[in-house]
Amino acid sequence: MGRVGAGRRRRGVRVIRLGAERLDRIVAVGAHCDDIAIGAGGTLLTLCLARPGIRVDVLVLSGGGSEREQEEQAALAAFCPGADLRLTVHKLPDGRLPAHWDEAKAAVEELRAGTEPDLVLAPRTDDAHQDHRGLAKLMTTAFRDHLVLGYEIVKWDGDLGRPTVYQQLSPEIAEQKVRLLQEHYPSQQHRPWYDREAFLGLARIRGIESNARYAEAFAVTKLALNLGE
């Protein structure tokens, strides 16, 4: 499969060259602590292990000041080994993002003002959870000239679709992702869907779809290619 590398801007659009250039800065955002790790933990591990010192700016909208923030700090440090990790966790109430739209928008705009990333990892714009979906919509406007990959989170809503982009994962990375999820988020262990079978099973399905053993899948709203250079 073709690899998408960092690109440059041309007339306000992020132009992507396949397999070209380095990724030096990435942004990852989540509505809740553990969203990023569940949706893109394997991708973060892959990127950070391949590019020591890569800058990772992380924004999480809820969980600030609670045990969830402590879990998130430890987890993302493990998911981003060797990275220049900069994490901000806000205190918006879980499940209430639409009622706190101005605060969420201000947090995203502050993030945008402080970084110029090569890649953005965010929720999908068609995610069934209102917090995920709202954050995704904010990201596509604040980071309109960037490559934004929308990660997926399995849940009872049954909203998994047909992804368009895959990051293939080695078996070792897939296993490490599951281990870190189980190790760093004890507050979520009681949830019936939070287990090894769910995480590894989805990665196996996405791996089949991308001709690999395991993969994480993403949605892309807009992507411009430059195949002539």
Side-chain angles (χ1 to χ4, degrees), residues 123-207:
R124 295 163 31 234
T125 55
D126 59 350
D127 193 295
H129 194 297
Q130 68 271 20
D131 290 357
H132 300 172
R133 187 171 63 253
L135 176 57
K137 291 179 178 179
L138 286 170
M139 294 301 293
T140 56
T141 55
F143 291 86
R144 65 179 62 217
D145 296 335
H146 300 77
L147 175 61
V148 180
L149 299 183
Y151 57 74
E152 57 183 357
I153 297 178
V154 64
K155 58 179 96 58
W156 74 271
D157 304 84
D159 64 349
L160 296 180
R162 298 184 63 182
T164 52
V165 176
Y166 298 85
Q167 169 60 48
Q168 296 173 340
L169 306 178
S170 69
E172 294 77 15
I173 290 292
E175 291 284 355
Q176 186 177 1
K177 173 185 175 176
V178 173
R179 178 178 59 80
L180 292 177
L181 285 171
Q182 294 175 324
E183 177 181 342
H184 287 289
Y185 296 103
S187 67
Q188 305 304 297
Q189 297 292 339
H190 68 284
R191 299 186 182 277
W193 53 267
Y194 198 95
D195 59 33
R196 171 185 171 82
E197 288 181 306
F199 299 133
L200 208 57
L202 181 58
R204 180 68 185 110
I205 291 171
R206 298 317 190 198

Side-chain angles (χ1 to χ4, degrees), residues 31 33 60-70 89-92:
C33 297
V60 180
L61 293 181
S62 65
S66 70
E67 66 172 342
R68 305 274 341 252
E69 181 177 6
Q70 297 174 12
V89 182
H90 286 271
K91 298 181 179 180
L92 273 65

